[in-house]
Amino acid sequence: MEVAAWTAAAVAAVAAARWLGKAWQAAQGSTGNAKLPTLPTPQRRLPPPRYGERITVLSIDGGGIRGLIPTVVLASLEKELKSLEDKGEQDDARNDDPRIADYFDVIAGTSTGALIAGMLVTPKDENTERPRTAEEIKRVYRDLGPKIFPPMSWVRKFLRMLWGPIYDPKPLHEKIREITGDLRLDQTLTTILVPVFDVRRLFPRIVHSYKSRGEPQAEDGTGERRAKLSDVLIGTTAAPFHFPAHYFQEFLGRLPHTRQELVTRYHVIDGGVGANNPTMQAIMKVASEQMCGENDDFPSLTDGKVDFTKYHVISIGTGSFKEEETEMYSAKECGKWSARQWGFKFRHGRSPIVDVFTQASNFLVDYNVAMLFHSHGCEKNYLRIQLMNPSENTLSMDDATPGNMVKLE
């Protein structure tokens, strides 16, 4: 398990060297609209895509405590990037303190992947603009996991599920607010994209850092007030059965000549019910920003066509079974299940319905993205890193016991 994870991390590092190249530039800017305080010696960031030949995207799957797997991959990637920067020939272009956010125009994440993405694009504290290192994010997961998912017997888990969410959301919510503070979507260090699912409209939604288009401005000139990043992360981690749904809103402005506020209201649960793998959502959102012609981060399109050969995407999973070796459930077995058994299976100690919709998304999105790049003759521009065929217990999204945490690392 550990060897496989580190092997995947090494592959990611090599891919980054091939695709990202010398991403650190002397020019200033980022694809986000950061409004954080400027330090006496400003930290240089990746310029918008209009200054380069590539659009880089990082995507991280959902998976509960299995989010520890992507942190291992990212820690190795960041280490390799630092090694490459140290070998740089131009001192004025070298980044002596690299972070993942410095190399990606968009970082997308669902559920636990969004939590990782949030830490990648958020300043570590009020004394710096720089985010946590990937190694520090891994330590956050290691320390926080048992508090979010305290060990309990399947009997107790089932009884708690009958009366409400299985887990107390307080440890998770407090940590998210501690990490993000009052930071809003348009203040992230690079663009972040997060899928959520709106239970009020029964509709998947994509929350992102890009500026809203065609919305009225507030009469006082302040314009829209984007949602807090903490609300978005709490919403996308609200996994059914495990944590309660979350409500938040965005202020879009006021109607002309009136004081009536226009507000977008979100009644959301875990984005993983629709897009546990957010890779395609990230690619399509970037493409739509290019096509709209109103985003200064991107160059004008030629003949209105998106050039996907300029996209370079790394997608990191949280573990999966190999198709030919998977024997989780049988038709004979599940054909007799009640609604309760689909929600929670005693023998497996897990939720079959959650397994179904998360694994379906992971496989289908990977296939569709691979075909998208292959059809444009740039299949090497897409790298999917997935730890395959771990043990059944390791693939549980809420097994934060010491033994399983060691396996995940």
Side-chain angles (χ1 to χ4, degrees):
M1 181 72 172
E2 183 176 358
V3 173
W6 281 104
T7 299
V11 173
V14 172
R18 183 184 304 129
W19 297 346
L20 305 181
K22 179 59 68 175
W24 198 259
Q25 305 288 339
Q28 298 292 310
S30 74
T31 55
N33 300 308
K35 299 178 181 179
L36 298 167
T38 302
L39 298 176
T41 303
Q43 296 287 345
R44 294 170 293 179
R45 301 186 216 148
L46 187 68
R50 67 176 180 271
Y51 291 117
E53 297 180 355
R54 301 169 179 174
I55 298 174
T56 52
V57 177
L58 173 64
S59 175
I60 310 170
D61 288 9
I65 195 58
R66 303 198 317 267
L68 192 55
I69 295 173
T71 67
V72 173
V73 175
L74 292 171
S76 181
L77 172 56
E78 202 168 74
K79 181 179 179 180
E80 182 67 17
L81 289 171
K82 179 172 176 55
S83 175
L84 293 174
E85 292 286 0
D86 289 341
K87 298 176 183 177
E89 297 179 357
Q90 300 180 18
D91 291 339
D92 61 345
R94 183 166 61 239
N95 175 10
D96 295 324
D97 187 27
R99 297 289 190 275
I100 295 296
D102 299 328
Y103 300 88
F104 291 94
D105 298 306
V106 179
I107 299 180
T110 297
S111 193
T112 193
L115 181 56
I116 296 171
M119 287 188 275
L120 291 173
V121 303
T122 302
K124 180 179 179 179
D125 54 52
E126 60 185 10
N127 298 318
T128 178
E129 282 191 339
R130 305 298 283 154
R132 289 171 172 79
T133 65
E135 189 66 36
E136 289 173 325
I137 294 174
K138 185 171 73 172
R139 288 198 292 269
V140 169
Y141 261 77
R142 186 189 302 131
D143 297 339
L144 187 61
K147 299 176 183 177
I148 298 177
F149 301 114
M152 65 176 68
S153 67
W154 62 261
V155 175
R156 185 184 177 195
K157 186 182 294 187
F158 174 71
L159 291 176
R160 289 179 65 89
M161 188 177 67
L162 292 177
W163 302 102
I166 296 173
Y167 297 104
D168 178 3
K170 186 176 180 180
L172 175 61
H173 294 182
E174 287 182 346
K175 189 62 178 181
I176 289 175
R177 293 189 175 103
E178 175 190 328
I179 291 170
T180 62
D182 293 326
L183 201 73
R184 296 186 180 274
L185 281 173
D186 55 344
Q187 296 174 314
T188 55
L189 299 177
T190 192
T191 299
I192 186 173
L193 180 144
V194 178
V196 295
F197 190 87
D198 194 317
V199 294
R200 186 167 180 242
R201 304 290 185 184
L202 291 182
F203 192 76
R205 307 181 72 164
I206 305 298
V207 189
H208 53 81
S209 300
Y210 291 122
K211 185 177 180 180
S212 301
R213 298 190 296 272
E215 301 293 353
Q217 297 295 303
E219 292 179 345
D220 58 7
T222 58
E224 64 179 358
R225 291 196 298 272
R226 303 301 304 278
K228 287 185 178 181
L229 182 58
S230 59
D231 282 322
V232 176
L233 298 184
I234 289 173
T236 194
T237 54
F241 302 121
H242 295 84
F243 298 108
H246 186 61
Y247 171 81
F248 64 94
Q249 61 186 32
E250 283 185 309
F251 174 74
L252 301 180
R254 300 179 189 276
L255 290 174
H257 311 299
T258 73
R259 296 189 60 81
Q260 181 181 354
E261 293 186 348
L262 291 180
V263 177
T264 298
R265 295 177 171 83
Y266 295 85
H267 302 255
V268 299
I269 60 173
D270 194 326
V273 302
N276 197 61
N277 178 349
T279 309
M280 183 62 85
Q281 280 71 17
I283 294 171
M284 291 299 103
K285 181 57 187 175
V286 173
S288 71
E289 290 295 311
Q290 289 186 276
M291 295 174 66
C292 78
E294 299 177 12
N295 191 328
D296 293 335
D297 283 350
F298 300 100
S300 300
L301 293 178
T302 302
D303 299 328
K305 297 180 180 179
V306 175
D307 184 2
F308 287 106
T309 64
K310 293 186 177 181
Y311 286 52
H312 294 261
V313 179
I314 295 178
S315 175
I316 307 177
T318 56
S320 181
F321 289 113
K322 290 183 179 179
E323 180 181 357
E324 65 275 12
E325 298 179 17
T326 301
E327 293 185 3
M328 279 293 294
Y329 312 111
S330 68
K332 181 179 180 180
E333 179 184 14
C334 63
K336 301 176 182 178
W337 288 349
S338 64
R340 188 270 300 165
Q341 289 171 309
W342 275 104
F344 186 82
K345 198 73 178 71
F346 291 112
R347 185 169 68 85
H348 296 275
R350 56 196 299 130
S351 172
I353 194 64
V354 172
D355 287 338
V356 169
F357 67 67
T358 56
Q359 294 298 320
S361 169
N362 295 346
F363 280 107
L364 288 175
V365 171
D366 178 34
Y367 175 80
N368 290 333
V369 173
M371 289 303 298
L372 171 68
F373 281 94
H374 185 78
S375 65
H376 286 78
C378 54
E379 57 271 16
K380 292 183 179 180
N381 288 13
Y382 169 60
L383 175 65
R384 172 67 170 172
I385 303 172
Q386 180 68 289
L387 182 61
M388 300 300 291
N389 214 36
S391 67
E392 179 180 326
N393 290 338
T394 302
L395 274 184
S396 171
M397 67 172 290
D398 60 351
D399 184 358
T401 57
N404 194 53
M405 297 287 280
V406 170
K407 292 179 181 178
L408 291 173
E409 285 193 71

